[in-house]
Amino acid sequence: MNSKTATRVVIVGAGFGGLNAARSLAKAGARVTIIDRKNYHTFQPLLYQVATAGLSPSEIAAPIRSIMRSYKNVEVLMSEVTGFDLDRRIIETTESTVSYDYLIVAAGASHSYFGHDEWEPSAPGLKTIEDALEIRRRVLLAFELAERESASGETTKPLNFVVVGAGPTGVELAGTIAEISRQALADDFRSIDPARTHILLLEGGPRVLPAYAEDLSRSAEEQLRRLGVEVRTNTMVTQIEPGLVQFAGTRLSATVVLWAAGVAASPLGRKLGVPVDRAGRVLVQPDLSLPGHANVFAIGDLSSLKDAQGKLLPGVAPVAIQQGQFVAKLIRREIDSEGNPEPRPTFHYWNKGSLATIGRAAAVAEFGRMHISGFMAWLAWLFVHILFLIGFRNRLLVLIQWAWSYVTYERGARLITGSTYLPGWTESHPEAMPPSASTRQEIPSAGPK
Ligand SMILES: Cc1cc2nc3c(=O)[nH]c(=O)nc-3n(C[C@H](O)[C@H](O)[C@H](O)COP(=O)(O)OP(=O)(O)OC[C@H]3O[C@@H](n4cnc5c(N)ncnc54)[C@H](O)[C@@H]3O)c2cc1C
């Protein structure tokens, strides 16, 4: 292949959609360029494990360049895409412009605070490795600060953790925090009792895991309660401030607040200049191309497409993977047809099933009419998630980590890195200031719990 004359396919985003498109184009007569602002691919389904100190970032992420090493027609550029000129077939990045013959935009989604972006510093969401490390920092720091306060003789109330939104991410965060407070941390503190931690999961709708069948929602709620999570449905959060959550006439002081409620497509969706839905997802054609631009595709979380029953395809990895493979195949066919392409097929999503984990040996799974809960669902979840992790090394490491923590209840990545500021707590506890502050205190020896 002559790289100067070959058809150039540019893929924006090396998430599930982008990577699968690139892999499927590996042997095509095309020059493929992947542009991502990060140098690594993140396996988002396991982010909550990093946020709850079960896994380290490198176990759920892999360098894009090494994933693509053996695909000689694929180049990787680390750069932030800022805009598009679809008429001139040009992508704008922070540093330069890149031209294309075909463009696949797979820039994913982020969290939405429903018009309350000011809540974000007090209630971080979980989308990136950085988010996961920030959540881990806050969760672990809360216990440390409470221990320090209690060790200095002050009475400490049980910690309140509030998770807003009971979709899959909210459920797994609440369940796992409950589990670590009652198991992994239970014997490690001398002045506080982590097992007394109050974990509250707030959901605006009538049930947890609303995308799942009702019996599985009920089972998930029951499994959460067994883990020690208080679940409140039909409860809209009306205000979040540092250390405080307001809902249904209640003002609750909260040591850690986590946001798992809303999703918005990458801002790149709106920059394509075609119609988008309320969440900013691009309304694509049945072949996933943009209206009026047959050589430009939007896939994965960035796109909005309904199935044959008129139901919006969910924002999950299998949709992005299948769409990436579909678009790559379509482009390959058109390159091979040398100017005489057949009519394009329509994308159909093959739903192989849905799985949501809640905690240790707790999960729900829906495979068509077959609904499973508890240990068997958790085993299925474990198998699928390890199978799809990128890289043999990561699969092996995660399997070993899981086996170890299953037997010992240990969470191996309990590191507090970065600042020791905890929104709300630090303001109301002068002694929680970083050690350099003048408020440093003498701590007496620990008394009984
Ligand atoms: C916490 C969490 C848990 C999840 N759990 C599950 C689960 O259990 N099962 C499941 O099926 N799905 C799960 N999902 C959803 C799943 O991860 C997404 O549906 C999937 O990642 C979408 O793939 P994508 O390729 O569209 O986008 P992404 O995988 O998000 O990839 C987007 C890529 O684009 C890059 N990018 C974004 N903007 C720019 C820019 N301007 N310039 C350059 N690069 C850019 C990003 O760096 C990223 O690499 C979860 C998501 C989250 C956040």
Side-chain angles (χ1 to χ4, degrees), residues 114 164-172 201-221 224 231-234 260-263 311-312 314 354 356 364 366 371:
F114 306 126
V164 185
T169 301
V171 163
E172 62 198 11
L201 177 62
L202 299 175
E203 166 59 40
R207 58 191 176 101
V208 306
L209 297 179
Y212 285 71
E214 282 191 35
D215 60 318
L216 291 179
S217 288
R218 277 195 301 277
S219 165
E221 190 168 332
L224 280 163
V231 180
R232 286 209 203 174
T233 49
N234 295 311
V263 175
K311 211 172 147 205
L312 193 68
S354 311
V364 291
E366 189 172 340
H371 297 174

mmCIF file of all heavy atoms in Angstrom, residues 114 164-172 201-221 224 231-234 260-263 311-312 314 354 356 364 366 371:
data_model
loop_
_atom_site.group_PDB
_atom_site.id
_atom_site.type_symbol
_atom_site.label_atom_id
_atom_site.label_comp_id
_atom_site.label_asym_id
_atom_site.label_seq_id
_atom_site.Cartn_x
_atom_site.Cartn_y
_atom_site.Cartn_z
ATOM 1 N N PHE A 114 -27.255 18.171 34.597
ATOM 2 C CA PHE A 114 -28.588 18.723 34.309
ATOM 3 C C PHE A 114 -28.625 20.232 34.550
ATOM 4 O O PHE A 114 -29.526 20.739 35.238
ATOM 5 C CB PHE A 114 -29.661 18.020 35.162
ATOM 6 C CG PHE A 114 -29.653 16.516 35.041
ATOM 7 C CD1 PHE A 114 -29.568 15.702 36.159
ATOM 8 C CD2 PHE A 114 -29.725 15.906 33.791
ATOM 9 C CE1 PHE A 114 -29.542 14.324 36.046
ATOM 10 C CE2 PHE A 114 -29.708 14.527 33.669
ATOM 11 C CZ PHE A 114 -29.619 13.733 34.792
ATOM 12 N N VAL A 164 -25.511 9.659 43.976
ATOM 13 C CA VAL A 164 -26.700 10.174 43.282
ATOM 14 C C VAL A 164 -26.826 9.459 41.934
ATOM 15 O O VAL A 164 -25.938 9.562 41.087
ATOM 16 C CB VAL A 164 -26.595 11.698 43.059
ATOM 17 C CG1 VAL A 164 -27.892 12.226 42.447
ATOM 18 C CG2 VAL A 164 -26.254 12.417 44.349
ATOM 19 N N GLY A 165 -27.939 8.739 41.753
ATOM 20 C CA GLY A 165 -28.189 8.039 40.492
ATOM 21 C C GLY A 165 -27.995 6.545 40.664
ATOM 22 O O GLY A 165 -26.913 6.101 41.036
ATOM 23 N N ALA A 166 -29.045 5.760 40.405
ATOM 24 C CA ALA A 166 -28.966 4.305 40.623
ATOM 25 C C ALA A 166 -28.979 3.528 39.309
ATOM 26 O O ALA A 166 -29.613 2.482 39.184
ATOM 27 C CB ALA A 166 -30.083 3.846 41.550
ATOM 28 N N GLY A 167 -28.256 4.060 38.299
ATOM 29 C CA GLY A 167 -27.969 3.264 37.104
ATOM 30 C C GLY A 167 -26.830 2.311 37.453
ATOM 31 O O GLY A 167 -26.422 2.222 38.616
ATOM 32 N N PRO A 168 -26.260 1.607 36.459
ATOM 33 C CA PRO A 168 -25.210 0.625 36.765
ATOM 34 C C PRO A 168 -24.032 1.224 37.540
ATOM 35 O O PRO A 168 -23.529 0.589 38.469
ATOM 36 C CB PRO A 168 -24.769 0.141 35.375
ATOM 37 C CG PRO A 168 -25.944 0.382 34.498
ATOM 38 C CD PRO A 168 -26.640 1.599 35.035
ATOM 39 N N THR A 169 -23.596 2.439 37.196
ATOM 40 C CA THR A 169 -22.425 3.006 37.874
ATOM 41 C C THR A 169 -22.738 3.347 39.326
ATOM 42 O O THR A 169 -21.947 3.051 40.232
ATOM 43 C CB THR A 169 -21.933 4.263 37.121
ATOM 44 O OG1 THR A 169 -21.605 3.880 35.786
ATOM 45 C CG2 THR A 169 -20.712 4.878 37.780
ATOM 46 N N GLY A 170 -23.902 3.958 39.588
ATOM 47 C CA GLY A 170 -24.283 4.305 40.958
ATOM 48 C C GLY A 170 -24.437 3.070 41.820
ATOM 49 O O GLY A 170 -23.987 3.026 42.970
ATOM 50 N N VAL A 171 -25.029 2.027 41.235
ATOM 51 C CA VAL A 171 -25.263 0.790 41.983
ATOM 52 C C VAL A 171 -23.931 0.122 42.343
ATOM 53 O O VAL A 171 -23.703 -0.305 43.472
ATOM 54 C CB VAL A 171 -26.175 -0.152 41.154
ATOM 55 C CG1 VAL A 171 -26.118 -1.575 41.660
ATOM 56 C CG2 VAL A 171 -27.608 0.363 41.168
ATOM 57 N N GLU A 172 -23.007 0.069 41.370
ATOM 58 C CA GLU A 172 -21.736 -0.603 41.680
ATOM 59 C C GLU A 172 -20.895 0.223 42.654
ATOM 60 O O GLU A 172 -20.217 -0.334 43.523
ATOM 61 C CB GLU A 172 -20.969 -1.021 40.420
ATOM 62 C CG GLU A 172 -20.542 0.062 39.492
ATOM 63 C CD GLU A 172 -20.194 -0.432 38.081
ATOM 64 O OE1 GLU A 172 -20.467 -1.600 37.739
ATOM 65 O OE2 GLU A 172 -19.646 0.370 37.306
ATOM 66 N N LEU A 201 -28.118 5.685 48.583
ATOM 67 C CA LEU A 201 -28.200 5.731 47.117
ATOM 68 C C LEU A 201 -29.512 6.416 46.750
ATOM 69 O O LEU A 201 -30.590 5.923 47.096
ATOM 70 C CB LEU A 201 -28.140 4.301 46.550
ATOM 71 C CG LEU A 201 -28.274 4.144 45.039
ATOM 72 C CD1 LEU A 201 -27.144 4.853 44.294
ATOM 73 C CD2 LEU A 201 -28.272 2.654 44.656
ATOM 74 N N LEU A 202 -29.405 7.567 46.071
ATOM 75 C CA LEU A 202 -30.606 8.337 45.720
ATOM 76 C C LEU A 202 -30.923 8.176 44.243
ATOM 77 O O LEU A 202 -30.038 8.321 43.393
ATOM 78 C CB LEU A 202 -30.371 9.823 46.024
ATOM 79 C CG LEU A 202 -30.076 10.189 47.469
ATOM 80 C CD1 LEU A 202 -29.745 11.676 47.575
ATOM 81 C CD2 LEU A 202 -31.269 9.838 48.350
ATOM 82 N N GLU A 203 -32.175 7.911 43.930
ATOM 83 C CA GLU A 203 -32.584 7.728 42.537
ATOM 84 C C GLU A 203 -33.856 8.541 42.286
ATOM 85 O O GLU A 203 -34.826 8.420 43.034
ATOM 86 C CB GLU A 203 -32.810 6.223 42.265
ATOM 87 C CG GLU A 203 -33.545 5.875 40.994
ATOM 88 C CD GLU A 203 -32.864 6.378 39.713
ATOM 89 O OE1 GLU A 203 -31.634 6.312 39.619
ATOM 90 O OE2 GLU A 203 -33.593 6.854 38.813
ATOM 91 N N GLY A 204 -33.824 9.353 41.227
ATOM 92 C CA GLY A 204 -34.986 10.191 40.902
ATOM 93 C C GLY A 204 -36.170 9.377 40.391
ATOM 94 O O GLY A 204 -37.324 9.713 40.610
ATOM 95 N N GLY A 205 -35.899 8.267 39.699
ATOM 96 C CA GLY A 205 -36.962 7.443 39.132
ATOM 97 C C GLY A 205 -37.513 6.449 40.135
ATOM 98 O O GLY A 205 -37.053 6.385 41.276
ATOM 99 N N PRO A 206 -38.487 5.614 39.700
ATOM 100 C CA PRO A 206 -39.150 4.714 40.650
ATOM 101 C C PRO A 206 -38.348 3.472 41.031
ATOM 102 O O PRO A 206 -38.714 2.768 41.965
ATOM 103 C CB PRO A 206 -40.434 4.318 39.915
ATOM 104 C CG PRO A 206 -40.148 4.542 38.477
ATOM 105 C CD PRO A 206 -39.126 5.634 38.385
ATOM 106 N N ARG A 207 -37.257 3.147 40.308
ATOM 107 C CA ARG A 207 -36.521 1.917 40.673
ATOM 108 C C ARG A 207 -35.057 2.022 40.293
ATOM 109 O O ARG A 207 -34.681 2.832 39.428
ATOM 110 C CB ARG A 207 -37.159 0.691 40.019
ATOM 111 C CG ARG A 207 -37.241 0.731 38.504
ATOM 112 C CD ARG A 207 -38.127 -0.414 38.011
ATOM 113 N NE ARG A 207 -38.330 -0.372 36.570
ATOM 114 C CZ ARG A 207 -37.677 -1.142 35.719
ATOM 115 N NH1 ARG A 207 -36.757 -1.979 36.122
ATOM 116 N NH2 ARG A 207 -37.941 -1.078 34.426
ATOM 117 N N VAL A 208 -34.240 1.184 40.959
ATOM 118 C CA VAL A 208 -32.819 1.138 40.614
ATOM 119 C C VAL A 208 -32.668 0.380 39.299
ATOM 120 O O VAL A 208 -33.571 -0.339 38.878
ATOM 121 C CB VAL A 208 -31.963 0.470 41.730
ATOM 122 C CG1 VAL A 208 -32.190 1.136 43.075
ATOM 123 C CG2 VAL A 208 -32.238 -1.028 41.828
ATOM 124 N N LEU A 209 -31.541 0.552 38.630
ATOM 125 C CA LEU A 209 -31.270 -0.072 37.322
ATOM 126 C C LEU A 209 -32.494 0.005 36.399
ATOM 127 O O LEU A 209 -33.049 -1.030 35.995
ATOM 128 C CB LEU A 209 -30.831 -1.540 37.510
ATOM 129 C CG LEU A 209 -29.530 -1.769 38.284
ATOM 130 C CD1 LEU A 209 -29.234 -3.267 38.415
ATOM 131 C CD2 LEU A 209 -28.343 -1.080 37.626
ATOM 132 N N PRO A 210 -32.934 1.211 36.065
ATOM 133 C CA PRO A 210 -34.181 1.347 35.304
ATOM 134 C C PRO A 210 -34.142 0.702 33.917
ATOM 135 O O PRO A 210 -35.193 0.377 33.372
ATOM 136 C CB PRO A 210 -34.375 2.869 35.189
ATOM 137 C CG PRO A 210 -33.085 3.488 35.598
ATOM 138 C CD PRO A 210 -32.347 2.501 36.432
ATOM 139 N N ALA A 211 -32.947 0.469 33.360
ATOM 140 C CA ALA A 211 -32.898 -0.127 32.020
ATOM 141 C C ALA A 211 -33.089 -1.642 32.063
ATOM 142 O O ALA A 211 -33.191 -2.293 31.029
ATOM 143 C CB ALA A 211 -31.559 0.212 31.361
ATOM 144 N N TYR A 212 -33.135 -2.213 33.264
ATOM 145 C CA TYR A 212 -33.274 -3.666 33.408
ATOM 146 C C TYR A 212 -34.738 -4.022 33.682
ATOM 147 O O TYR A 212 -35.552 -3.158 34.027
ATOM 148 C CB TYR A 212 -32.387 -4.170 34.553
ATOM 149 C CG TYR A 212 -30.917 -4.196 34.176
ATOM 150 C CD1 TYR A 212 -30.200 -3.019 34.016
ATOM 151 C CD2 TYR A 212 -30.260 -5.400 33.951
ATOM 152 C CE1 TYR A 212 -28.852 -3.028 33.657
ATOM 153 C CE2 TYR A 212 -28.916 -5.430 33.589
ATOM 154 C CZ TYR A 212 -28.232 -4.242 33.440
ATOM 155 O OH TYR A 212 -26.902 -4.259 33.076
ATOM 156 N N ALA A 213 -35.049 -5.323 33.556
ATOM 157 C CA ALA A 213 -36.419 -5.782 33.824
ATOM 158 C C ALA A 213 -36.755 -5.520 35.298
ATOM 159 O O ALA A 213 -35.858 -5.477 36.143
ATOM 160 C CB ALA A 213 -36.510 -7.274 33.533
ATOM 161 N N GLU A 214 -38.050 -5.367 35.583
ATOM 162 C CA GLU A 214 -38.458 -4.970 36.950
ATOM 163 C C GLU A 214 -38.034 -5.970 38.017
ATOM 164 O O GLU A 214 -37.639 -5.584 39.114
ATOM 165 C CB GLU A 214 -39.969 -4.766 37.005
ATOM 166 C CG GLU A 214 -40.352 -3.431 36.410
ATOM 167 C CD GLU A 214 -41.792 -3.053 36.675
ATOM 168 O OE1 GLU A 214 -42.290 -3.398 37.764
ATOM 169 O OE2 GLU A 214 -42.394 -2.430 35.785
ATOM 170 N N ASP A 215 -38.101 -7.280 37.695
ATOM 171 C CA ASP A 215 -37.717 -8.258 38.716
ATOM 172 C C ASP A 215 -36.234 -8.119 39.075
ATOM 173 O O ASP A 215 -35.832 -8.307 40.222
ATOM 174 C CB ASP A 215 -38.041 -9.691 38.254
ATOM 175 C CG ASP A 215 -37.317 -10.056 36.968
ATOM 176 O OD1 ASP A 215 -37.263 -9.207 36.051
ATOM 177 O OD2 ASP A 215 -36.781 -11.176 36.866
ATOM 178 N N LEU A 216 -35.405 -7.744 38.075
ATOM 179 C CA LEU A 216 -33.976 -7.585 38.351
ATOM 180 C C LEU A 216 -33.716 -6.305 39.148
ATOM 181 O O LEU A 216 -32.822 -6.252 39.994
ATOM 182 C CB LEU A 216 -33.175 -7.586 37.044
ATOM 183 C CG LEU A 216 -33.143 -8.941 36.331
ATOM 184 C CD1 LEU A 216 -32.347 -8.862 35.034
ATOM 185 C CD2 LEU A 216 -32.544 -10.026 37.228
ATOM 186 N N SER A 217 -34.519 -5.255 38.879
ATOM 187 C CA SER A 217 -34.393 -4.029 39.685
ATOM 188 C C SER A 217 -34.689 -4.335 41.144
ATOM 189 O O SER A 217 -33.981 -3.900 42.046
ATOM 190 C CB SER A 217 -35.396 -2.958 39.225
ATOM 191 O OG SER A 217 -35.007 -2.433 38.003
ATOM 192 N N ARG A 218 -35.763 -5.111 41.353
ATOM 193 C CA ARG A 218 -36.139 -5.465 42.740
ATOM 194 C C ARG A 218 -35.021 -6.280 43.397
ATOM 195 O O ARG A 218 -34.635 -6.030 44.536
ATOM 196 C CB ARG A 218 -37.447 -6.272 42.756
ATOM 197 C CG ARG A 218 -38.696 -5.398 42.703
ATOM 198 C CD ARG A 218 -39.929 -6.205 43.096
ATOM 199 N NE ARG A 218 -40.148 -7.363 42.237
ATOM 200 C CZ ARG A 218 -40.762 -7.332 41.059
ATOM 201 N NH1 ARG A 218 -41.249 -6.204 40.591
ATOM 202 N NH2 ARG A 218 -40.911 -8.431 40.343
ATOM 203 N N SER A 219 -34.483 -7.231 42.628
ATOM 204 C CA SER A 219 -33.413 -8.066 43.180
ATOM 205 C C SER A 219 -32.175 -7.212 43.484
ATOM 206 O O SER A 219 -31.535 -7.389 44.525
ATOM 207 C CB SER A 219 -33.080 -9.174 42.181
ATOM 208 O OG SER A 219 -31.865 -9.745 42.517
ATOM 209 N N ALA A 220 -31.849 -6.284 42.587
ATOM 210 C CA ALA A 220 -30.669 -5.424 42.803
ATOM 211 C C ALA A 220 -30.862 -4.599 44.070
ATOM 212 O O ALA A 220 -29.946 -4.459 44.885
ATOM 213 C CB ALA A 220 -30.455 -4.525 41.596
ATOM 214 N N GLU A 221 -32.085 -4.075 44.247
ATOM 215 C CA GLU A 221 -32.343 -3.256 45.441
ATOM 216 C C GLU A 221 -32.187 -4.101 46.709
ATOM 217 O O GLU A 221 -31.599 -3.666 47.696
ATOM 218 C CB GLU A 221 -33.746 -2.637 45.354
ATOM 219 C CG GLU A 221 -33.967 -1.602 46.420
ATOM 220 C CD GLU A 221 -35.223 -0.767 46.202
ATOM 221 O OE1 GLU A 221 -35.650 -0.587 45.045
ATOM 222 O OE2 GLU A 221 -35.765 -0.290 47.210
ATOM 223 N N LEU A 224 -28.565 -4.721 47.363
ATOM 224 C CA LEU A 224 -27.940 -3.501 47.907
ATOM 225 C C LEU A 224 -28.244 -3.369 49.395
ATOM 226 O O LEU A 224 -27.369 -3.072 50.200
ATOM 227 C CB LEU A 224 -28.464 -2.263 47.163
ATOM 228 C CG LEU A 224 -27.828 -1.989 45.801
ATOM 229 C CD1 LEU A 224 -28.680 -1.015 44.991
ATOM 230 C CD2 LEU A 224 -26.412 -1.429 45.959
ATOM 231 N N VAL A 231 -31.456 2.623 50.109
ATOM 232 C CA VAL A 231 -31.862 3.025 48.764
ATOM 233 C C VAL A 231 -33.111 3.892 48.869
ATOM 234 O O VAL A 231 -34.085 3.505 49.530
ATOM 235 C CB VAL A 231 -32.171 1.789 47.886
ATOM 236 C CG1 VAL A 231 -32.600 2.210 46.490
ATOM 237 C CG2 VAL A 231 -30.971 0.856 47.830
ATOM 238 N N ARG A 232 -33.071 5.068 48.230
ATOM 239 C CA ARG A 232 -34.293 5.886 48.179
ATOM 240 C C ARG A 232 -34.605 6.185 46.724
ATOM 241 O O ARG A 232 -33.825 6.870 46.038
ATOM 242 C CB ARG A 232 -34.087 7.204 48.912
ATOM 243 C CG ARG A 232 -34.075 7.037 50.381
ATOM 244 C CD ARG A 232 -34.580 8.293 51.037
ATOM 245 N NE ARG A 232 -34.079 8.358 52.379
ATOM 246 C CZ ARG A 232 -34.251 9.382 53.175
ATOM 247 N NH1 ARG A 232 -34.908 10.445 52.755
ATOM 248 N NH2 ARG A 232 -33.775 9.376 54.392
ATOM 249 N N THR A 233 -35.743 5.684 46.256
ATOM 250 C CA THR A 233 -36.159 5.949 44.879
ATOM 251 C C THR A 233 -37.140 7.124 44.877
ATOM 252 O O THR A 233 -37.526 7.623 45.940
ATOM 253 C CB THR A 233 -36.809 4.691 44.270
ATOM 254 O OG1 THR A 233 -37.778 4.199 45.205
ATOM 255 C CG2 THR A 233 -35.789 3.606 43.996
ATOM 256 N N ASN A 234 -37.537 7.583 43.684
ATOM 257 C CA ASN A 234 -38.421 8.750 43.529
ATOM 258 C C ASN A 234 -37.910 9.940 44.337
ATOM 259 O O ASN A 234 -38.688 10.704 44.897
ATOM 260 C CB ASN A 234 -39.854 8.419 43.979
ATOM 261 C CG ASN A 234 -40.484 7.372 43.083
ATOM 262 O OD1 ASN A 234 -40.431 7.506 41.862
ATOM 263 N ND2 ASN A 234 -41.024 6.320 43.674
ATOM 264 N N ALA A 260 -23.667 9.955 39.743
ATOM 265 C CA ALA A 260 -23.765 8.895 38.733
ATOM 266 C C ALA A 260 -25.120 9.018 38.035
ATOM 267 O O ALA A 260 -25.755 8.014 37.722
ATOM 268 C CB ALA A 260 -23.618 7.532 39.410
ATOM 269 N N ALA A 261 -25.542 10.274 37.811
ATOM 270 C CA ALA A 261 -26.931 10.457 37.379
ATOM 271 C C ALA A 261 -27.133 10.787 35.902
ATOM 272 O O ALA A 261 -28.101 10.339 35.311
ATOM 273 C CB ALA A 261 -27.593 11.527 38.237
ATOM 274 N N GLY A 262 -26.281 11.555 35.295
ATOM 275 C CA GLY A 262 -26.610 11.993 33.933
ATOM 276 C C GLY A 262 -25.456 11.823 32.966
ATOM 277 O O GLY A 262 -24.304 11.795 33.354
ATOM 278 N N VAL A 263 -25.799 11.686 31.698
ATOM 279 C CA VAL A 263 -24.767 11.506 30.668
ATOM 280 C C VAL A 263 -24.993 12.519 29.554
ATOM 281 O O VAL A 263 -26.121 12.773 29.151
ATOM 282 C CB VAL A 263 -24.848 10.073 30.083
ATOM 283 C CG1 VAL A 263 -23.873 9.904 28.933
ATOM 284 C CG2 VAL A 263 -24.544 9.040 31.150
ATOM 285 N N LYS A 311 -36.700 1.897 20.037
ATOM 286 C CA LYS A 311 -36.022 2.131 21.313
ATOM 287 C C LYS A 311 -34.596 2.591 21.045
ATOM 288 O O LYS A 311 -33.891 1.991 20.220
ATOM 289 C CB LYS A 311 -36.021 0.799 22.100
ATOM 290 C CG LYS A 311 -36.067 0.990 23.585
ATOM 291 C CD LYS A 311 -36.251 -0.351 24.276
ATOM 292 C CE LYS A 311 -35.508 -0.299 25.588
ATOM 293 N NZ LYS A 311 -35.104 -1.557 26.104
ATOM 294 N N LEU A 312 -34.178 3.630 21.771
ATOM 295 C CA LEU A 312 -32.832 4.170 21.592
ATOM 296 C C LEU A 312 -31.787 3.125 21.997
ATOM 297 O O LEU A 312 -31.925 2.490 23.048
ATOM 298 C CB LEU A 312 -32.684 5.412 22.485
ATOM 299 C CG LEU A 312 -31.473 6.294 22.230
ATOM 300 C CD1 LEU A 312 -31.596 6.994 20.880
ATOM 301 C CD2 LEU A 312 -31.338 7.334 23.338
ATOM 302 N N PRO A 314 -28.694 1.577 23.717
ATOM 303 C CA PRO A 314 -28.096 2.031 24.982
ATOM 304 C C PRO A 314 -26.634 2.457 24.811
ATOM 305 O O PRO A 314 -25.959 2.040 23.866
ATOM 306 C CB PRO A 314 -28.172 0.771 25.864
ATOM 307 C CG PRO A 314 -28.212 -0.371 24.911
ATOM 308 C CD PRO A 314 -28.903 0.115 23.670
ATOM 309 N N SER A 354 -27.332 -8.135 29.170
ATOM 310 C CA SER A 354 -26.836 -7.031 30.004
ATOM 311 C C SER A 354 -26.478 -7.563 31.375
ATOM 312 O O SER A 354 -27.180 -8.417 31.931
ATOM 313 C CB SER A 354 -27.922 -5.963 30.183
ATOM 314 O OG SER A 354 -28.470 -5.622 28.947
ATOM 315 N N ALA A 356 -25.021 -6.236 35.332
ATOM 316 C CA ALA A 356 -24.646 -5.144 36.240
ATOM 317 C C ALA A 356 -24.189 -5.753 37.542
ATOM 318 O O ALA A 356 -24.857 -6.629 38.106
ATOM 319 C CB ALA A 356 -25.832 -4.210 36.483
ATOM 320 N N VAL A 364 -26.758 -8.651 38.745
ATOM 321 C CA VAL A 364 -27.939 -9.106 38.014
ATOM 322 C C VAL A 364 -27.548 -9.262 36.546
ATOM 323 O O VAL A 364 -26.665 -8.559 36.061
ATOM 324 C CB VAL A 364 -29.140 -8.131 38.130
ATOM 325 C CG1 VAL A 364 -29.701 -8.107 39.536
ATOM 326 C CG2 VAL A 364 -28.783 -6.732 37.663
ATOM 327 N N GLU A 366 -29.274 -10.161 32.500
ATOM 328 C CA GLU A 366 -30.480 -10.328 31.681
ATOM 329 C C GLU A 366 -30.038 -10.824 30.304
ATOM 330 O O GLU A 366 -29.390 -10.094 29.558
ATOM 331 C CB GLU A 366 -31.166 -8.956 31.585
ATOM 332 C CG GLU A 366 -32.516 -8.969 30.958
ATOM 333 C CD GLU A 366 -33.208 -7.594 31.097
ATOM 334 O OE1 GLU A 366 -32.834 -6.787 31.948
ATOM 335 O OE2 GLU A 366 -34.139 -7.355 30.299
ATOM 336 N N HIS A 371 -33.339 -14.340 33.312
ATOM 337 C CA HIS A 371 -32.898 -13.342 34.292
ATOM 338 C C HIS A 371 -32.188 -14.059 35.436
ATOM 339 O O HIS A 371 -32.741 -14.995 36.010
ATOM 340 C CB HIS A 371 -34.093 -12.567 34.853
ATOM 341 C CG HIS A 371 -34.811 -11.778 33.811
ATOM 342 N ND1 HIS A 371 -35.978 -11.098 34.035
ATOM 343 C CD2 HIS A 371 -34.504 -11.546 32.500
ATOM 344 C CE1 HIS A 371 -36.369 -10.493 32.935
ATOM 345 N NE2 HIS A 371 -35.493 -10.764 31.985
#
